[in-house]
Amino acid sequence: MIHATFQLAPGIGPYRERQLWAAGIQRWDHFPGELGIALSPRLDGRVRNGVAAARAALEDGDADALAAMLPRRERWRLYAAFAEDAAFLDIETDGGDLVTAVGVLDRDGPRVFLRGRDLDDFPAAAARWKVLVTFNGLSFDVPILERAFPGWRSPRAHVDLRHLWARLGHQGGLKLLEHETGVGRPDHLHGVDGMEAVRLWRRHRDGEPGALRRLAEYNLYDAVNLKALMTLGYNRMLERYELPAAPIALWQRGDVLYDVTKRLLAI
């Protein structure tokens, strides 16, 4: 999708981009050279400069530079190009700003960082991420993590699925979205929510056996399910808005369930 994106410069918004697509200019390589006119001499110069800068950033693998060129609501378009370096993240807290668990799925597989164990390892583990995928992370997860780890900053290429799926008509939280899309979780986790995660942390702190593992399992499934919802949402955006790009293969959670189990048994 990024090769079909022209919203890369001031004055080139959704309307101008669709003008180009309707004229058959559906990829960077289709844009006319200096002697051709697509929109106007002034706007064409902006597009050419934007495409040149985007092409260079893509060749360098610089997702941050590309994200800086795009409107925030269109940064989901970067996902297919950087899927191997994407991370899916969800956090739990004590009900305030104290982070208790950070569930992650990235190229190193699923894992959960826990307070009192290895939570301080989170920033180093996140250092190579190029795209971050969350649900409501712009408002919740990322600000809390940046306060908890002052030296850490989220990748600029951040896809908040709450906002992406709102464009597709979804209104509600992550669990409702999972239900509506058929992206499920084990039966014994049904009914567990953010408030229960707070209670589980308190029960662990009070010495209840198994409470920390259940908290970690809930948190880790939040993160893992984000990948399925990202691939599904990406393809639905292409279809809903008739965008000139190929869909990507849907991801199956079964690919990582063995690793999820291993991580949980180690707690």
Side-chain angles (χ1 to χ4, degrees):
M1 184 61 212
I2 189 59
H3 291 94
T5 294
F6 294 97
Q7 295 185 52
L8 301 167
I12 310 299
Y15 174 74
R16 296 295 189 189
E17 185 177 61
R18 287 196 170 275
Q19 273 189 300
L20 293 172
W21 293 341
I25 303 170
Q26 298 191 335
R27 295 180 63 83
W28 294 343
D29 290 342
H30 298 166
F31 201 82
E34 295 289 343
L35 298 180
I37 300 295
L39 296 170
S40 72
R42 178 176 59 86
L43 291 177
D44 283 8
R46 293 183 183 180
V47 173
R48 290 189 186 98
N49 290 339
V51 166
R55 195 188 301 275
L58 187 59
E59 289 175 355
D60 290 341
D62 192 343
D64 269 9
L66 280 164
M69 300 175 69
L70 289 169
R72 175 177 283 179
R73 66 187 263 118
E74 302 300 343
R75 290 175 182 171
W76 66 272
R77 301 184 184 194
L78 294 171
Y79 176 69
F82 293 97
E84 292 300 314
D85 295 305
F88 306 84
L89 174 145
D90 184 81
I91 73 168
E92 308 301 336
T93 73
D94 67 342
D97 267 11
L98 187 73
V99 178
T100 58
V102 181
V104 168
L105 174 63
D106 63 9
R107 66 162 56 243
D108 294 323
R111 59 204 188 280
V112 59
F113 300 92
L114 296 168
R115 176 163 294 278
R117 293 196 172 208
D118 56 358
L119 187 61
D120 290 342
D121 294 340
F122 165 74
R128 293 180 298 164
W129 297 346
K130 294 187 176 182
V131 174
L132 180 65
V133 180
T134 66
F135 190 94
N136 200 36
L138 284 170
S139 300
F140 182 72
D141 305 70
V142 166
I144 288 178
L145 285 173
E146 289 182 343
R147 289 193 292 271
F149 302 100
W152 179 77
R153 289 294 178 268
S154 166
R156 190 185 291 266
H158 178 183
V159 183
D160 188 329
L161 293 181
R162 176 186 174 191
H163 302 292
L164 180 71
W165 277 91
R167 293 176 66 182
L168 294 167
H170 172 76
Q171 301 295 327
L174 177 59
K175 307 306 178 295
L176 179 60
L177 179 58
E178 290 176 355
H179 174 73
E180 290 180 347
T181 56
V183 177
R185 56 183 62 213
D187 289 343
H188 66 274
L189 290 179
H190 290 171
V192 181
D193 58 14
M195 288 306 300
E196 178 64 10
V198 173
R199 289 190 285 268
L200 284 168
W201 172 252
R202 292 172 182 168
R203 283 151 53 185
H204 159 68
R205 191 181 55 193
D206 293 340
E208 180 180 318
L212 185 63
R213 180 180 291 175
R214 187 169 174 83
L215 169 64
E217 184 177 19
Y218 166 74
N219 176 239
L220 199 49
Y221 269 94
D222 276 359
V224 166
N225 282 353
L226 291 177
K227 185 166 185 177
L229 293 169
M230 178 72 242
T231 58
L232 185 60
Y234 182 96
N235 288 343
R236 289 197 182 178
M237 286 292 289
L238 298 183
E239 181 180 4
R240 169 72 65 88
Y241 293 100
E242 299 179 336
L243 302 179
I248 57 178
L250 293 179
W251 182 77
Q252 301 299 323
R253 192 180 62 202
D255 294 344
V256 299
L257 288 186
Y258 174 73
D259 292 324
V260 167
T261 300
K262 282 203 312 183
R263 296 289 188 183
L264 294 173
L265 289 175
I267 297 173

